[in-house]
Amino acid sequence: MSITNTPTSNDACLSIVHSLMCHRQGGESESFSKRAIESLVKKLKEKKDELDSLITAITTNGAHPSKCVTIQRTLDGRLQVAGRKGFPHVIYARLWRWPDLHKNELKHVKYCQYAFDLKCDSVCVNPYHYERVVSPGIDLSGLTLTSSGPSSGLMVKDEYEYDGPSSLPSIEGGHSIQTIQHPPSTRAGPSESFSSPALLPPSDAGSSASTSAFPGIAVGSNATSNWARTSSFTPNMPHHQNGHLQHHPPMPHPGHYWPEHSELAFQPPISNHPAPDYWCSIAYFEMDVQVGETFKVPSSCPIVTVDGYVDPSGGDRFCLGQLSNVHRTEAIERARLHIGKGVQLECKGEGDLWVRCLSDHAVFVQSYYLDREAGRAPGDAVHKIYPSAYIKVFDLRQCHRQMQQQAATAQAAAAAQAAAVAGNIPGPGSVGGIAPAISLSAAAGIGVDDLRRLCILRMSFVKGWGPDYPRQSIKETPCWIEIHLHRALQLLDEVLHTMPIADPQPLD
């Protein structure tokens, strides 16, 4: 049943439950949510006006005024659902509005006549008759960004708690550091820049428009995370040979910043070939198993949201919450509950990709573009993108140059290797041509799948992987996505037609 076909109190309970299930926020398991909604609908079946009010409130996200939706108050004030007890107004507020809600964070609106705190015989469970307030015991005034102070362990946070910038780990000089951090950027004036990974990027004509699409998120229109590639720049933290590097909150420092007018601006398209009908496709995985079908994003939707909710997917939204997996474990289910609002992927220009983290938890990205910006070898780093951060993760022109270089190198190496095997390369090391053939084997071994990796990004939700975590591969994380960028793959096809190389090798 489509969400657009909103039921009424005259419809069957099953139809109403199904519609209301489509609007749950993913904070509870599917079985618990269904039991809770079924219980409520059955209680309201004889109170049609209240049931209609509930349907209206939930299906419109509170956009229209609605009446109290009441159930009988129990002796201890708690409601039992599927063997669990809880305050009824909290249960349904978690279900449809705030999945991470604490029981002391609700305050009823003034016009609610049967609010839980009013101690009436009936209790209003309309989620839109309550507002969320910060618990009085939590002091937020002292939360600041810091990049100094003692640290024990230096393990990157991997907990199911809010993972905002205030949770950035601090470091001491001399410690090896692992995961590259990308906190939300801040606006910088023309005379102000940073010696850390957050720097002023080239001016972006599309940034102001994209920012206006997210009025609830304060993001500097010209701010993103990049590394300066100047000889005078020296990172103020040590490298780790096989691991990763931490990005810290930007600190003011004069001198190093991207020029306001970049030489890359207003460049013609890389290819005159028409853009593909779909600019990307997204596959969702749990551990090493793909779940559901690959989701294709039409070029008419340059911004797509990937979230943990259960609304039907389509167009500019891919909802992971509605995908089922018979092999899903409790750990995977728990991680999925924290995907929340997820991420927004934005295609800019001819095929650049930007990511905005809307979730309360960080996402972890494998990105050759960010590797290069951080001065790392491709595939050498995992990048932690914090809530509210907005960052470029893929550059089409850089990718095109890289695929051209690798294809040319592989083609030349394969030709040289063939000549070496035939004994056509003179020199003291060419005993029958075998030694030169071995030295060229690595370059000649570059296959089509190696080049395809340049056009693919991988991103895990909530849980990271790498040296800082118990998971060494993204295929060990509970929920992750693989993004295939079609314009880049289209350009790769053109490159391969002009420079055919070796047969493809298996993709990891």
Side-chain angles (χ1 to χ4, degrees), residues 19 90 140 221 223 275 298 307 406 413 479:
S19 177
V90 175
L140 300 180
S221 62
D307 59 43
Q406 288 195 21
C479 40

Side-chain angles (χ1 to χ4, degrees), residues 60-133:
T60 65
N61 296 321
H64 298 295
S66 53
K67 301 177 182 178
C68 285
V69 177
T70 61
I71 61 173
Q72 187 70 29
R73 180 186 290 269
T74 59
L75 290 176
D76 65 355
R78 295 186 298 171
L79 178 69
Q80 181 165 322
V81 177
R84 288 167 47 186
K85 276 195 169 186
F87 296 115
H89 64 311
V90 175
I91 289 175
Y92 293 107
R94 280 178 184 160
L95 202 62
W96 283 309
R97 294 195 71 183
W98 306 288
D100 57 346
L101 179 72
H102 189 271
K103 64 181 180 181
N104 295 325
E105 292 180 335
L106 284 184
K107 176 184 177 183
H108 65 270
V109 295
K110 293 180 180 180
Y111 52 82
C112 182
Q113 299 176 326
Y114 297 95
F116 181 83
D117 293 338
L118 299 181
K119 309 295 184 184
C120 301
D121 290 339
S122 296
V123 178
C124 178
V125 294
N126 186 336
Y128 293 93
H129 278 204
Y130 295 89
E131 296 173 343
R132 188 175 187 179
V133 295

Side-chain angles (χ1 to χ4, degrees), residues 164-319:
S166 59
S167 66
L168 281 169
S170 57
I171 69 167
E172 289 184 35
H175 287 281
S176 62
I177 37 187
Q178 307 291 341
T179 302
I180 297 180
Q181 312 274 342
H182 298 272
S185 299
T186 54
R187 185 185 300 272
S191 63
E192 183 179 30
S193 186
F194 313 117
S195 60
S196 72
L199 296 169
L200 287 178
S203 58
D204 189 343
S207 59
S208 59
S210 64
T211 303
S212 64
F214 309 97
I217 302 174
V219 177
S221 62
N222 280 335
T224 185
S225 291
N226 270 309
W227 277 66
R229 286 170 288 180
T230 60
S231 58
S232 60
F233 172 74
T234 303
N236 58 2
M237 52 198 78
H239 284 267
H240 185 281
Q241 186 173 359
N242 297 315
H244 312 293
L245 197 63
Q246 284 181 339
H247 284 202
H248 279 267
M251 299 295 292
H253 182 77
H256 307 302
Y257 59 92
W258 290 96
E260 189 68 24
H261 299 288
S262 169
E263 61 183 0
L264 297 179
F266 310 115
Q267 289 191 339
I270 300 172
S271 170
N272 293 324
H273 197 281
D277 293 335
Y278 299 90
W279 68 266
C280 80
S281 56
I282 306 169
Y284 169 64
F285 294 82
E286 293 177 0
M287 307 295 279
D288 60 349
V289 177
Q290 181 173 348
V291 178
E293 297 182 359
T294 299
F295 182 80
K296 293 185 177 181
V297 184
S299 295
S300 58
C301 300
I303 299 177
V304 61
T305 302
V306 183
D307 59 43
Y309 301 144
V310 296
D311 300 331
S313 299
D316 61 353
R317 190 176 177 198
F318 185 21
C319 297

